[in-house]
Amino acid sequence: MKIRIEWTYTTPRGAETFFRSDEMPVAQALLMAEDIQKTGRVKHLDFIDQYDSSWMMKELKSYLKSIETEPHNVRVFFDGGFDIQTKMSGMGCVIYYEQNGKFYRLRSNAPSEHLISNNEAEYAALNMCLQELDILGVHHIPVTFIGDSQVVINQLSGEWSVIEPSLSGWADRIEAKMKKLGIDPTYELIPRKENTEADRLATQALNGIEILANSELL
C-alpha cells in the first residue's frame, strides 16, 4: 500500500499553508510524519491511501504490524518462451518477498503444449505467477510485476489495447484473478538482459527441467 501525507503547517505568527507529499510506502510515511510533527507546527496531519481513504497514525502502525507475518513487498519476474519447431512453451516465474523480517525467493517453471505464440506464453507465465502468489497467501496488497514482454506489460497496464482473441482471454483471466486475490498491480517493463532468472527458468522448462524452490535469502 502507498500513502501520501497531507498536513497544515502553521508559522510562529499564525500564518498557515498546506502541504501534500508524494505517495510512499507506509513505513516511510510514518517516519516522515513523525519527523514533521517534531517541528511542533503541524495543525492537521492526514494519511491518504491510493484509494483516497484516510488513515490515522495508530491504524497505519497496526497495519504494518499485521502484515509482518504475511508475505509483503512482493516483486514478481515472469517470462515465457515458445519453440516454433516443437510447438512447446516454457514459463518461468521468480517471486521476491518479505515475511517475518526475512527475505525469500521463490522460483517456479512449467512447460505447456497448448499455446500458439510467444506472446501467449508470456501471458501464461504471468498467470502461473498468480497461482504461486495465491499459494503463498499474497492477498490484498500491492504487487509489482516485472517482465520484458512489451505486449503483456503495455496491454495489462492499459497502454495498449488487447486485439488478439487468444490474448484477450488471458488478459481477462489474469485481471479476474487479481481482483479475486485483492492484488493492486504495478507493471514494470525491463530489458531482456535484466530478466535472466525468469528467462532461464522458461528455457529449462522447454528442455524438460521443472523447478519449484522457495528459499531464504541470506
Side-chain angles (χ1 to χ4, degrees):
M1 180 168 65
K2 292 292 185 72
I3 290 289
R4 70 177 185 269
I5 309 170
E6 297 181 353
W7 71 99
T8 300
Y9 179 86
T10 305
T11 69
R13 295 189 177 184
E16 294 184 357
T17 189
F18 176 79
F19 290 97
R20 175 184 290 131
S21 75
D22 293 331
E23 289 188 342
M24 63 189 80
V26 174
Q28 182 182 349
L30 286 171
L31 288 174
M32 294 291 294
E34 289 173 350
D35 196 59
I36 291 168
Q37 288 181 327
K38 288 178 182 178
T39 65
R41 296 176 181 174
V42 178
K43 188 173 183 180
H44 298 291
L45 188 147
D46 295 310
F47 299 95
I48 311 296
D49 65 21
Q50 62 263 48
Y51 305 107
D52 288 327
S53 296
S54 180
W55 294 67
M56 297 175 60
M57 184 176 288
K58 183 178 180 180
E59 292 174 327
L60 284 181
K61 288 182 176 179
S62 296
Y63 167 79
L64 277 185
K65 188 172 181 63
S66 71
I67 67 170
E68 285 179 358
T69 58
E70 300 175 358
H72 55 281
N73 291 340
V74 182
R75 302 172 73 241
V76 177
F77 292 80
F78 69 95
D79 193 47
F82 178 73
D83 189 327
I84 194 169
Q85 301 297 326
T86 64
K87 306 300 182 184
M88 288 289 295
S89 300
M91 300 165 288
C93 170
V94 184
I95 301 173
Y96 290 91
Y97 64 98
E98 296 178 38
Q99 189 171 15
N100 294 317
K102 298 178 180 179
F103 298 87
Y104 295 89
R105 179 186 63 179
L106 182 148
R107 295 183 300 140
S108 176
N109 70 354
S112 177
E113 300 176 352
H114 307 293
L115 307 177
I116 62 173
S117 68
N118 191 75
N119 286 334
E120 194 174 0
E122 295 276 9
Y123 265 107
L126 179 50
N127 187 67
M128 185 181 72
C129 291
L130 288 176
Q131 295 172 359
E132 297 292 354
L133 291 176
D134 193 6
I135 293 171
L136 279 176
V138 176
H139 303 135
H140 305 289
I141 61 171
V143 175
T144 300
F145 295 92
I146 306 163
D148 57 55
S149 169
Q150 291 191 42
V151 170
V152 173
I153 296 295
N154 288 326
Q155 287 181 347
L156 290 180
S157 64
E159 294 293 324
W160 294 359
S161 298
V162 186
I163 299 174
E164 303 91 333
S166 62
L167 301 185
S168 63
W170 283 105
D172 291 343
R173 186 186 309 177
I174 286 169
E175 289 174 351
K177 183 69 172 178
M178 287 193 187
K179 184 176 181 180
K180 181 179 179 181
L181 297 179
I183 288 175
D184 180 18
T186 299
Y187 299 100
E188 183 178 335
L189 180 64
I190 59 173
R192 186 171 184 177
K193 64 182 180 181
E194 295 179 17
N195 200 26
T196 54
E197 277 191 299
D199 176 69
R200 186 182 305 115
L201 286 165
T203 301
Q204 288 172 323
L206 276 170
N207 293 328
I209 303 170
E210 295 190 44
I211 294 172
L212 177 59
N214 194 359
S215 57
E216 181 182 348
L217 300 176
L218 302 176

